[in-house]
Structures are given as structure tokens and as C-alpha cells.
Amino acid sequence: MNDLTALEERIAKRLDSFRFAHTLSVRDECLQLAELFELSERDTTLLAEAALLHDSTKALQIAEQATLAQILGIELTQDDLDSPATLHAITGAAMARVDFDAPVAVTAAIACHTTGKENMTLFDKLLFLADYIEPTRKFEDCIRVRRYFYEESVDQPLEKRLNATLLLAFDLTIAGLIEEGRPIHPQTIKSRNFLLKNS
Ligand code: DGI
Ligand code: FE
Ligand code: FE
């Protein structure tokens, strides 16, 4: 497990100030969610580690992402390449493993932080949600999902509330991509359908 202060310093060197501020805000949101979901101290630290590492390759261009993936031995699919905004999750997960020796729980959560996946763990879901609703996000969809989670859904049991919030997030992401004429990664659709069926 990485020491969080040392990790924060290392990650600061890789990100511009905007992305670093977002990263710290995801970390803080994760800590708040960890408390709400009563995570153990160890899982809380791991979730903060995942937050600090989740966007570490976000600044790279598509060609650089592809090269990095090749160096790290990851095969990108055509679907990945068609949705380039999703590549940093795949390369970020590999980077967390190779450069930061992160454990599987951390790399797995980073790998699905953009598209989600079927049958996400609580750990995966908390990183995904924190990334979507951290308070520096001003995008309308983010504000709506934050309001749903912290205000409109509070009467529901916690797990149900989390799943319903994620479903809303996927719905809004998919609708936004359609509106902008961008491709939807099949993984995003699978994540949405899985939540629809299982919550
Ligand atoms: O990296 P962040 O900006 O913090 O957040 P993120 O990793 O959730 O990435 C958000 C971006 O990814 C946003 O531009 C929408 C895009 N995205 C999410 N799902 C898909 C997608 N883009 C495509 N083309 N297809 C998807 O399924
Ligand atoms: Fe991201
Ligand atoms: Fe992010």
C-alpha cells in the first residue's frame, strides 16, 4: 500500500493544476463516501490511493495512450480506440500497477472508472461516483447526480441509493454522448443495462 502523502507528491508532478485539483477533490469525496459506507481503515486508504492515481495518464494524447498501452502489453480493442476518452482508464490502471505497485482492488477500480463494467464492486462504484460528483465539477449532469445522491435519494437504503445514482449517471452520460454525436463504448451500455436489471 502506498503512503498517501508521498503518492500525492508524486502524482502532482504528472498532472496540470486543473487535473490535480480534480484529483484531490476525488480523493476527498472518496474519504467522505468511505465514511458513509463504513469502509474499513484499510479500504479507505486504498480508495484514497485509487482516487489519487485514477487520472494519472489523462494528459496523454491518443497516439501516446496507444503507444503506452503497447509498451505495457495491453491490447486496445477497436471499441476502446473509437472512444478515446476512455483510454486513460485502461492505461491509468496499468500505470498504477507498473509505476506505483498498486494492488488489484485499486487497478480494477481505475480501469472501470470511466465506462463502469458489469457487476462492479462497492469499491469500483465509490471511485466512479466520487469522480462524477466531486464538488469542483460544474457540469449540469454532475450537479444533477450529486443532488440525487445527497438529497433526492436519501430515504432509500444505502446500496439501493448507490445503484440508482450510478444508473442515473450512466443514463446522463449516454444521453450526452448521443447529443454530441459521439460513439458510446459498449462497456458503458453493459454497465447501464446491468444496473437496470440488478437494482
Ligand atoms: O477523466 P475525467 O474527466 O475525470 O472523467 P471520466 O474518466 O469519467 O471521463 C469523462 C469523459 O469520458 C467524458 O468526456 C465522457 C467520456 N466518456 C465516458 N463514457 C464514454 C465516454 N466517451 C465515449 N466516447 N464513450 C463512452 O462510453
Ligand atoms: Fe478519468
Ligand atoms: Fe477523473
Side-chain angles (χ1 to χ4, degrees), residues 7 18 68 95-96 183:
L7 189 57
F18 175 82
L68 179 62
M95 192 64 98

Side-chain angles (χ1 to χ4, degrees), residues 146-157:
R146 190 185 306 134
R147 194 173 56 219
Y148 182 77
F149 184 72
Y150 281 119
E151 295 172 31
E152 293 161 12
S153 69
V154 287
D155 292 339
Q156 299 177 38

Side-chain angles (χ1 to χ4, degrees), residues 2-189:
N2 279 288
D3 169 73
L4 292 180
T5 311
L7 189 57
E8 189 178 319
E9 283 166 16
R10 280 183 74 192
I11 211 72
K13 298 195 186 101
R14 299 195 182 207
L15 303 175
D16 64 34
S17 59
F18 175 82
R19 188 60 44 190
F20 187 56
H22 160 70
T23 293
L24 293 184
S25 195
V26 175
R27 189 265 322 268
D28 293 344
E29 188 66 42
C30 276
L31 292 176
Q32 193 172 315
L33 290 172
E35 208 173 303
L36 184 62
F37 283 82
E38 298 180 345
L39 260 53
S40 67
E41 204 174 313
R42 182 182 160 76
D43 283 348
T44 301
T45 306
L46 285 176
L47 191 60
E49 180 174 335
L52 289 173
L53 289 170
H54 86 284
D55 274 343
S56 76
T57 59
K58 180 85 177 181
L60 301 181
Q61 305 293 316
I62 301 167
E64 293 172 319
Q65 299 277 359
T67 307
L68 179 62
Q70 206 168 24
I71 291 168
L72 296 171
I74 308 160
E75 279 209 33
L76 297 174
T77 65
Q78 192 57 49
D79 288 326
D80 298 333
L81 294 165
D82 289 344
S83 293
T86 67
L87 293 177
H88 74 285
I90 302 169
T91 54
M95 192 64 98
R97 173 175 56 80
V98 172
D99 267 11
F100 296 89
D101 200 24
V104 173
V106 168
T107 59
I110 294 172
C112 71
H113 89 265
T114 305
T115 61
K117 66 180 179 190
E118 289 171 299
N119 213 0
M120 290 165 83
T121 64
L122 174 63
F123 196 90
D124 297 335
K125 288 176 186 174
L126 295 183
L127 180 65
F128 185 94
L129 179 62
D131 187 35
Y132 213 105
I133 66 171
E134 61 86 356
T136 75
R137 292 252 204 227
K138 304 295 182 222
F139 191 54
E140 202 185 309
D141 290 351
C142 302
I143 293 168
R144 198 164 151 203
V145 173
R146 190 185 306 134
R147 194 173 56 219
Y148 182 77
F149 184 72
Y150 281 119
E151 295 172 31
E152 293 161 12
S153 69
V154 287
D155 292 339
Q156 299 177 38
L158 206 47
E159 198 194 336
K160 198 165 181 294
R161 191 176 152 197
L162 179 62
N163 288 337
T165 305
L166 252 60
L167 181 58
L168 174 64
F170 284 118
D171 281 352
L172 293 175
T173 295
I174 290 167
L177 290 166
I178 290 170
E179 200 153 313
E180 291 171 13
R182 290 159 71 190
I184 303 164
H185 196 294
Q187 199 65 40
T188 303
I189 301 189

